[in-house]
Amino acid sequence: MSSTPSRNPLPRRDHRPGLTRATPISTYRLQINGEFGFDAAAAVVPYLAELGVSHLYLSPILEPEPGSTHGYDVVDHDALNSEAGGREAFERLSDAGRAAGLGIIVDIVPNHMTVPQETYLNSQLWDVLRHGRASQYADWFDVDWEAEDFKILMPILGADLDTALTNGELAVAHDGGADSTETVLRYYDHELPVRPGTESLDLPALVDAQAYRLAHWEDGQTDLNYRRFFDVTTLQAVRVEEDDIFDATHELLLELYREGRIDGFRIDHPDGLADPGGYLGRLAHRTGNAWVVVEKILEGHEELMPQWACAGTTGYDALLRVQQVLTDPTGTETLDAMWAEIAAPERVDLGDVIIAAKLQVVEEVQAAEVNRLLRLVERVLPDTDLEAARRALTALLVSMDRYRAYLVAGQRPARSQLVVLAQAEGRARDRLDAGDHPVLGQITQLARGGRPAGGLSGPDAHEAIAEFVTRFQQTCGPVMAKGIEDTAFYRWLRQTGANEVGGDPGTLSIEVDEFHAYAEERLEHWPLTMTTLSTHDTKRSEDVRARLAVLSERAQDWQDWFAEARRMSARLRNGLVDPETEYLIWQTLVGTWPMTPERMSTYLLKATREAKTHTAWVDGDEPYEEAIVAFATALIEDPDVGAHIQRWVDQTAESSRAFSLAQKLIQLTMPGVPDLYQGSEYALLTLVDPDNRGAVDYDEHRIRLEALSEGALPQDLSEAKLRVVTTALRLRREHPEWFVGRTADYLALDTGSPNAIAFARGGTDGPAAVTVAAIALHRLRNSGGWQDEHLDLPAGDWRDLLSGNEFTSVEGIPTGDVLGEQPVALLVRR
């Protein structure tokens, strides 16, 4: 029996007749912006329907700041993205989707709005800046008014205010605002309202009389008195925990939902909200329990809060397990040894790197947020030593091992969340001198919502405690995200493909049984959760990570190759290039080759600035940045180095191809609703944004899909991957009962080998589809290939939709007969 794919036309399935409000069977993420608007999305609907997806999954569609490429900088909740075509174009997209049987899932940004340079674009913020606390929108934004004498700090100046006035950089104009007739204050491109009644004051007095205080941009790092998204001062938090604000910010989206033009939602950054569970409950009530997933990073064995009214997460937990189960652990010690030799002593241990990074984020990046928390501490504990309180609060924030605990002021806390705080307190004690332990206990008590011993009572203290509960949790998330994913993961570079959002780079691999247990648990508790491999936020695309996973599989070969690479490049190296960044460069090159100097330069500047070791976004080291860019450019342009990189890519191509196809098939058939990021049905070798947000050549994709559908054999990895994707998606669409929801079954199958994973999916009639994938192909080849291993295939007649091969199983079948020379198989009972 041949195991080579035959000329096997892919099954064509009728598209679903008409749109239903059913749970998505699969989704396809599209990045909507001025360059790729709603009409452009409508144009690719026929291709996506043919591919097999059930729902389009759109990045935020509300009106963003002009020129936005991502949509998370919302300025108007009452309008759709005008640069993308506005409501009329969106309705054309919706109609095109309906005609093809595709629904629409939309990304919601409830946590924040943008602070645009032309502030009138955000009409609510404009009104608050104009009238201050008297504004009808004063409660929209999360502002600590008393901290700035009832003003909002606006850190937009390039110097202090006196300098800006002396240099004539501030001016009053009378042609501003939305209708070009208002009196405004201008600072270069920034435009701000003028409080009514102050128009006739001289400039210094007018500036002083406003409801905002202009300040140097650096002052925002410590003095900012409004909550923001992470450390982005131009993204101001919105208080959607209030019913009227929730209604105002969601009215248009809910109207489109009621009209049937939207079918479900993805919630951006729920951990930033005052009460994520309450928000989700309110959304479920308004929609009648729409399908909703949340962008929630689950750390370690953390579980999503079971009472949340949502279908699950956006899938980073699935990404992690799929990658780990396919990664060969045998090279871990060699990779450890290499990193220990390369890295500075303080960067060898991942745990040490994470603590140092989180500490830096608390003390520098989140200084304004920490200061706000300390003001609350002082309101409850006016006699406390504020420096001791700062040390204790810092230690507690650093010691949190997840994005937050879920406690709501005035509500009885869940025991599991109290345990989270207690464990963090225990770790914090180990980081503090004994003299600071009492104040740590007081601050932990505040975080629980209790009044600490020695604390004041009364309405003001009660209000401050309730606010501390919320603000502490809202600060934990940025500390985790900026400390770990955006700092530590750019410093600790043992195997960079594991340094992913929601990742665990300290654990490269898990056993097959652990993956099966995870999948079974998802099916039992979160059967409609999303799964993913690539997103607009991943640090590296799934195919780059597949290439880098081979480093563990062929660690000794990698060590030898790297030594030769360093020898070859010695003449190109300069003294400013540090060993850690050079190691990052080499891993990036083998993961993305062929690479251009322009793409590499953009990535390296972002990576090294995020690492905050040799340079940074603020006060960067220009000579260092020029040196690493010059070095990377020289490597890319040197023909001998390029040939050396290409040899590695060629030598590992079979293994990385197997990894790419295996992870894709597993993701598409495991429990959950699989999402494909735009273009990832092809081999996609991209890095973190902006690299991963480029245009997709859908014309080429359409031509190749048509050829494969007519029976053409895959000619490269892109076509092999496209075949896997469309075969699995079409099967899901034809038989959603096998894959979607609790009625679908998941059965772990024994492959008789550590080099394969298999599981069956099906419904009430038993196993109907079986996924089989090879693990660590290089290890398999070195061990002599398939020997006497048998796949515990359920009895019956089976056909592999990818190869066309047919099998009959009574008590199993040789695993080698199923996979042969192919890394994956998708069997369907005949």
Side-chain angles (χ1 to χ4, degrees), residues 774-821:
I775 298 174
L777 203 61
H778 183 68
R779 182 179 67 190
L780 174 66
R781 297 285 189 261
N782 283 347
S783 64
W786 303 112
Q787 302 295 325
D788 298 326
E789 301 94 337
H790 271 65
L791 169 64
D792 185 20
L793 187 65
D797 296 325
W798 298 84
R799 181 170 183 267
D800 181 6
L801 295 181
L802 297 172
S803 69
N805 294 334
E806 297 182 350
F807 309 93
T808 298
S809 173
V810 179
E811 295 180 352
I813 191 170
T815 304
D817 286 357
V818 177
L819 290 178
E821 297 301 314

Side-chain angles (χ1 to χ4, degrees), residues 267 269-273 275-281 284 289 292-298 302-313 404-408 417 473 525-526:
I267 309 303
H269 187 44
D271 281 339
L273 303 178
D275 179 9
Y279 169 85
L280 292 170
N289 293 310
V292 170
V293 290
V294 293
E295 185 207 17
K296 166 62 187 166
I297 305 302
L298 298 172
E302 180 186 3
E303 289 292 336
L304 201 60
M305 295 295 286
Q307 64 269 37
W308 279 9
C310 66
T313 73
R404 63 181 285 171
Y406 296 96
L407 304 174
V408 179
Q417 302 309 298
Q473 294 175 79
H525 297 290
W526 301 98

Side-chain angles (χ1 to χ4, degrees), residues 103-170:
I104 293 180
I105 307 299
V106 167
D107 202 340
I108 298 182
V109 190
N111 180 69
H112 53 266
M113 296 179 72
T114 197
V115 182
Q117 289 188 336
E118 295 175 312
T119 319
Y120 65 82
L121 292 171
N122 183 336
S123 61
Q124 291 83 16
L125 179 60
W126 181 264
D127 198 77
V128 174
L129 292 175
R130 187 192 228 183
H131 298 289
R133 287 296 300 273
S135 168
Q136 61 178 317
Y137 301 109
D139 290 338
W140 267 56
F141 304 103
D142 192 352
V143 181
D144 184 0
W145 290 97
E146 294 183 5
E148 285 292 331
D149 195 22
F150 298 96
K151 294 186 177 187
I152 296 180
L153 186 74
M154 295 296 287
I156 62 174
L157 304 180
D160 61 78
L161 177 58
D162 288 343
T163 300
L165 287 168
T166 300
N167 293 342
E169 296 170 326
L170 289 164

Side-chain angles (χ1 to χ4, degrees), residues 718-768:
S718 285
E719 291 187 354
K721 190 177 180 187
L722 182 60
R723 184 183 181 89
V724 167
V725 168
T726 195
T727 300
L729 289 180
R730 292 176 183 181
L731 181 63
R732 290 182 65 91
R733 187 173 61 192
E734 181 73 7
H735 292 286
E737 72 277 9
W738 295 352
F739 299 98
V740 182
R742 283 192 176 87
T743 58
D745 197 15
Y746 179 93
L747 178 64
L749 301 179
D750 185 7
T751 65
S753 170
N755 289 106
I757 180 174
F759 53 84
R761 303 303 310 276
T764 56
D765 294 331

